[in-house]
Amino acid sequence: MGDRNAILKITDVNFKYPQNDEFHLEIPALSLYKGECASICGRNGCGKTTLGKMVVGLLRPASGKVLLDGEDISDWELGKIGKHIGYLFQEPGRQIFAPTVLEDVAFPLILNGMDSGAAQTLARSILARFDMQDLENATTYTLSRGEKQRLAIAGILINNPDLLILDEPTTGLDLHRKLILSDVLQQLLRDGAGVLLISHDVAFVRDLSPTVYLIEEGRLASH
């Protein structure tokens, strides 16, 4: 495939934290295409989450380029990047804001001008995909870690992003919930979305991702 079709392309990226001289991350090349799932693996602290944050603009590389649909995002505002990318933080509670489950999923749609009733109908359909329809009136602070994980992913999908970056998406999920998540992601891939998994869950990665990148000694390489 030509790079012109890549949803995400990273070339010659280098990153260092100013306060940590021992950490460095080098990404010579990474491309992700429509309908493709790629995974980033490696030990704790190797830079997997750092890579994800660079793609969504939360961190800026010292050199190199991050391209979305062929455009350099270095000058993009976070809001513009967010229209293209759905990002799951390692700690899902950081992206849950509303008091109830249904309100949290519907909120982005209402914020963008959708009628409240229509937004809640769509939110309910997303919650059903994650087997959370019985929790729509639950208060978000009482949810388990796995429930928060599913809610955060549902909130991401409500915006139909072109690219999903999921940082440890199976944390707190039992086997049944992992299968549900896998089915949802496989449908998104069939619909043409790109998915970048950051995960220690080898079985989950193997099931979804033909392309695996490994970070070792501060450098990303295909594996």
Side-chain angles (χ1 to χ4, degrees):
M1 282 185 274
D3 285 331
R4 66 185 181 277
N5 298 319
I7 296 177
L8 171 67
K9 184 180 180 184
I10 302 175
T11 55
D12 299 323
V13 158
N14 284 276
F15 179 86
K16 289 193 71 174
Y17 287 104
Q19 68 276 22
N20 185 353
D21 292 335
E22 295 182 1
F23 178 90
H24 74 279
L25 180 60
E26 181 182 352
I27 308 169
L30 184 154
S31 294
L32 183 69
Y33 299 88
K34 292 181 178 180
E36 180 186 10
C37 179
S39 297
I40 310 296
C41 298
R43 295 180 179 179
N44 287 336
C46 70
K48 301 186 300 298
T49 294
T50 296
L51 188 159
K53 288 183 176 180
M54 278 194 289
V55 174
V56 295
L58 295 174
L59 296 172
R60 301 289 186 181
S63 61
K65 291 184 178 181
V66 178
L67 306 178
L68 291 179
D69 291 324
E71 294 189 36
D72 190 336
I73 69 167
S74 58
D75 294 326
W76 287 19
E77 295 181 353
L78 291 178
K80 182 177 180 180
I81 297 174
K83 291 179 180 179
H84 296 266
I85 300 177
Y87 180 65
L88 177 70
F89 287 88
Q90 268 193 23
E91 177 45 65
R94 294 179 59 187
Q95 55 200 108
I96 296 172
F97 303 104
T100 71
V101 167
L102 182 63
E103 288 175 303
D104 194 77
V105 179
F107 175 74
L109 300 177
I110 296 172
L111 185 66
N112 289 325
M114 183 179 288
D115 172 77
S116 176
Q120 289 189 358
T121 297
L122 185 54
R124 287 189 174 98
S125 70
I126 295 289
L127 288 172
R129 294 175 72 180
F130 286 92
D131 196 23
M132 295 188 73
Q133 61 271 26
D134 295 334
L135 292 172
E136 68 172 56
N137 294 317
T139 53
T140 52
Y141 69 86
T142 65
L143 299 177
S144 69
R145 170 61 188 259
E147 289 166 345
K148 287 180 180 179
Q149 194 86 325
R150 287 184 284 152
L151 175 58
I153 297 171
I156 290 169
L157 296 185
I158 202 78
N159 290 315
N160 292 315
D162 301 319
L163 170 64
L164 286 89
I165 300 176
L166 306 179
D167 196 345
E168 301 294 352
T170 60
T171 300
L173 302 185
D174 60 22
L175 179 58
H176 175 64
R177 309 301 182 194
K178 288 182 184 181
L179 291 174
I180 290 174
L181 177 59
S182 178
D183 287 344
V184 170
L185 294 180
Q186 287 175 355
Q187 182 59 57
L188 291 170
L189 293 169
R190 288 192 291 269
D191 291 341
V195 177
L196 187 65
L197 292 176
I198 299 169
S199 181
H200 288 97
D201 192 333
V202 176
F204 190 80
V205 164
R206 187 183 298 120
D207 184 52
L208 277 170
S209 179
T211 303
V212 177
Y213 293 92
L214 184 65
I215 299 178
E216 287 185 308
E217 298 181 354
R219 183 180 172 89
L220 181 86
S222 58
H223 182 66

